[in-house]
Amino acid sequence: MLPAPRADLVSNTYDFENLPLVKATGFREYDARWLFGPEINLLGIQALGLGLGTYIHELGQKRIVIGHDYRSYSLSIKQALTIGLVAAGCEVVDIGLATSPMAYFAQFDLDAPCVAMVTASHNENGWTGVKMGAQRPLTFGPDEMGRLKEIVLSGTWKQRPGGSLAHVDGVAERYIADAASRASIDRPLKVVCACGNGTAGAFAPEALRRMGVAVVVEMDCQLDWNFPKYNPNPEDSVMLHAMADAVRQYDADLALGFDGDGDRCGVVDDEGEEIFADKIGLMLARDLSGLHKNATFVVDVKSTGLFATDEVLKGNGAKTVYWKTGHSYIKRKTAELGALAGFEKSGHFFFNPPIGRGYDDGIVAAAAILSMLDRNPGKKLSDLKKALPVAYTSLTMSPHVADEVKYGLVDEVVAEYTALRDAGGTILGRKIADLITVNGVRVALEDGSWVLVRASSNKPEIVVVVESTQSEDDMRRLFREEVKPRLAKRPQVGAYNQEI
């Protein structure tokens, strides 16, 4: 019987080869992520499989789909996870190399209620993790992750007989066919398909061609787990700038960028201008609400405030609900409300039937964007963007804060802004109109501008976003004269990944 995990093991030692290493910080709000080696070893992954298998038996399930992303170590991690799941008595169905949405699709395709996708998503090399679910199309949230953490760290898993492993072929082909069926493009479009040498490169170009895209310009679609050009993260400025350069070079109609595990989509328009996913979401909401009257949309607290004020959405009877950032949260809320779609500023898009199956899928999001363009044959993507009301939204900026202190630090910031509002204080001369505290704090100002501070759910960081209704200079001032100095008073706050 594998002993309970420890958190104090170091590599190149006897104990590291014989005992499971699992650090508690890897159990995050809606998935699990560790640095492979320093924070978890292969026996720790096996312990995770034992715990996950025990938990899904508690939920009355045993059949589970597994897949892995394209990292040099992901296959080994999936195999260690499989050993644990089989030892826990699970019926494991291995679909091989896959994107996360392909694994979610396989839950339907193979009639498997549960999923465990080995992926570090867009995190840098060295990271690994698992996205899990036991109620398609949903993935685990804090309650499920809390129970899993309890089982694994205490070593209270149960081994059961009857576990099995089956390798299933053909899922990738059926997934591509299904995703491609969600668009049928008549308009001749030239599209840059950017994958950052990540997993989506094996599948996205073919899916776009089958949708009817006339010319697909493949950009960094060769699989290379070294990620030689940039990290496959379409929210990162390096990847977005590379996409913009490609649009100009090839005179393309747009660029679509997919992250490391294919569940997110980033967009650059025909003028080489990046369009943040919340603005793309608003464009899609305008388009879809005209086809589906009185639709409900869910957006995360990092997203533009324009959803709440847009006259086109109001005219179509659409309703927007702001909710917690995180793919599991938005996915779950979209399902609970029966919303037509959910949008997250990081590039996760969730479409319920008839558009999708409710899970986040970068290629299905691409199908929705291309269909929107097809329904507007006389307009370029830049025209649709320029038709939106003006708001100046920042990049997502993330200063380093240790996992052990980030939530407490954000609680302090929430209390500060609450006290400032209650005292009638102002930010750059503007009163605080509202505070949204479902996920950190979103401070809405009287002119519609806002600032957001929240804890990252998957990395040792906090997240900062600002938006101004006045100007780009004012947007920069909201960060440089308000949020950055407020955070800088705290020594726990480290360097930013990027700044405006």
Side-chain angles (χ1 to χ4, degrees):
M1 187 76 170
L2 201 64
R6 286 169 47 180
D8 61 344
L9 304 180
V10 294
S11 63
N12 198 20
T13 63
Y14 179 88
D15 284 346
F16 191 87
E17 292 297 305
N18 289 279
L19 299 172
L21 166 68
V22 181
K23 293 203 172 178
T25 51
F27 293 94
R28 301 178 186 270
E29 290 182 42
Y30 45 79
D31 58 21
R33 294 191 199 185
W34 293 270
L35 282 167
F36 181 45
E39 297 179 351
I40 197 166
N41 61 5
L42 287 175
L43 288 173
I45 295 289
Q46 186 175 328
L48 178 67
L50 278 162
L52 177 59
T54 298
Y55 182 43
I56 66 174
H57 271 92
E58 287 183 6
L59 298 175
Q61 306 291 351
K62 64 179 289 188
R63 184 170 167 84
I64 183 168
V65 167
I66 61 169
H68 71 282
D69 69 4
Y70 197 75
R71 309 258 178 168
S72 61
Y73 43 83
S74 290
L75 177 56
S76 297
I77 287 169
K78 184 180 71 173
Q79 289 171 332
L81 185 72
T82 299
I83 291 170
L85 288 166
V86 171
C90 291
E91 183 183 332
V92 179
V93 183
D94 188 344
I95 62 171
L97 181 70
T99 61
S100 289
M102 192 180 298
Y104 304 150
F105 166 80
Q107 289 179 269
F108 294 87
D109 183 58
L110 303 175
D111 192 23
C114 305
V115 66
M117 175 66 195
V118 172
T119 178
S121 186
H122 64 279
N123 285 27
E124 296 83 0
N125 267 327
W127 286 90
T128 190
V130 187
K131 293 181 177 178
M132 296 161 278
Q135 183 186 358
R136 58 192 175 201
L138 306 181
T139 42
F140 284 175
D143 291 343
E144 295 90 346
M145 289 304 300
R147 176 58 182 146
L148 176 63
K149 178 180 179 180
E150 178 184 20
I151 295 169
V152 173
L153 295 185
S154 65
T156 53
W157 48 71
K158 295 179 182 177
Q159 294 194 198
R160 289 180 169 88
S164 64
L165 169 62
H167 293 271
V168 177
D169 294 326
V171 173
E173 167 57 31
R174 292 193 294 276
Y175 163 78
I176 291 172
D178 181 82
S181 72
R182 300 182 183 277
S184 181
I185 310 304
D186 294 322
R187 178 178 175 177
L189 293 173
K190 181 187 290 185
V191 178
V192 174
C193 176
C195 295
N197 303 109
T199 320
F203 313 107
E206 177 62 17
L208 295 181
R209 290 188 182 97
R210 293 194 198 181
M211 289 177 197
V213 175
V215 179
V216 176
V217 179
E218 296 191 23
M219 174 182 161
D220 305 323
C221 292
Q222 280 290 113
L223 298 184
D224 187 338
W225 56 45
N226 296 305
F227 304 144
K229 302 282 188 65
Y230 47 81
N231 216 43
N233 179 5
E235 196 180 16
D236 186 83
S237 59
V238 178
M239 183 170 181
L240 287 168
H241 291 163
M243 291 163 59
D245 290 343
V247 165
R248 298 185 188 102
Q249 178 183 352
Y250 294 103
D251 192 25
D253 293 288
L254 73 159
L256 298 168
F258 303 94
D259 75 332
D261 67 329
D263 59 5
R264 294 192 296 135
C265 182
V267 183
V268 170
D269 70 15
D270 51 282
E271 295 182 344
E273 295 295 325
E274 60 207 54
I275 309 179
F276 294 131
D278 56 342
K279 302 288 176 61
I280 284 288
L282 180 57
M283 292 156 64
L284 287 168
R286 283 180 153 200
D287 178 60
L288 294 171
S289 64
L291 301 173
H292 306 270
K293 298 295 183 181
N294 303 313
T296 297
F297 299 98
V298 178
V299 298
D300 78 317
V301 293
K302 287 163 57 180
S303 293
T304 178
L306 295 175
F307 280 96
T309 58
D310 187 66
E311 294 299 328
V312 174
L313 295 187
K314 288 179 182 178
N316 290 333
K319 173 186 176 184
T320 301
V321 175
Y322 284 89
W323 196 240
K324 299 178 183 180
T325 292
H327 65 84
S328 184
Y329 294 126
I330 301 298
K331 187 163 19 186
R332 191 172 295 266
K333 198 67 173 179
T334 302
E336 285 177 2
L337 298 177
L340 182 62
F343 307 116
E344 195 179 9
K345 190 171 186 289
S346 62
H348 289 274
F349 297 83
F350 310 85
F351 296 100
N352 275 329
I355 304 165
R357 286 192 173 88
Y359 52 78
D360 38 342
D361 187 331
I363 294 177
V364 170
I369 294 163
L370 294 171
S371 295
M372 174 178 66
L373 276 173
D374 206 51
R375 284 190 285 270
N376 292 273
K379 295 181 180 179
K380 299 177 180 179
L381 190 59
S382 58
D383 296 329
L384 298 177
K385 180 187 70 175
K386 291 170 184 175
L388 298 178
V390 176
Y392 304 88
T393 312
S394 74
L395 295 163
T396 298
M397 299 169 284
S398 300
H400 182 275
V401 180
D403 283 319
E404 294 83 356
V405 300
K406 66 186 181 185
Y407 291 103
L409 187 146
V410 169
D411 287 342
E412 291 177 10
V413 175
V414 173
E416 271 192 18
Y417 278 123
T418 302
L420 183 64
R421 178 200 61 185
D422 294 347
T426 61
I427 292 176
L428 300 189
R430 282 158 278 185
K431 292 182 180 179
I432 296 174
D434 189 27
L435 295 180
I436 299 175
T437 57
V438 295
N439 188 203
V441 60
R442 176 169 165 145
V443 185
L445 307 181
E446 58 185 335
D447 67 341
S449 303
W450 53 269
V451 303
L452 170 75
V453 179
R454 58 174 289 271
S456 170
S457 300
N458 51 40
K459 294 181 78 173
E461 297 173 341
I462 57 175
V463 175
V464 175
V465 183
V466 299
E467 180 174 270
S468 171
T469 58
Q470 297 186 14
S471 68
E472 187 166 333
D473 285 343
D474 184 63
M475 178 260 286
R476 295 177 186 277
R477 289 180 61 217
L478 285 169
F479 172 63
R480 296 198 169 274
E481 298 179 26
E482 165 55 35
V483 183
K484 188 177 181 181
R486 188 177 295 277
L487 294 177
K489 294 184 296 183
R490 296 166 167 83
Q492 308 98 311
V493 178
Y496 287 73
N497 67 331
Q498 57 186 358
E499 296 185 37
I500 53 171

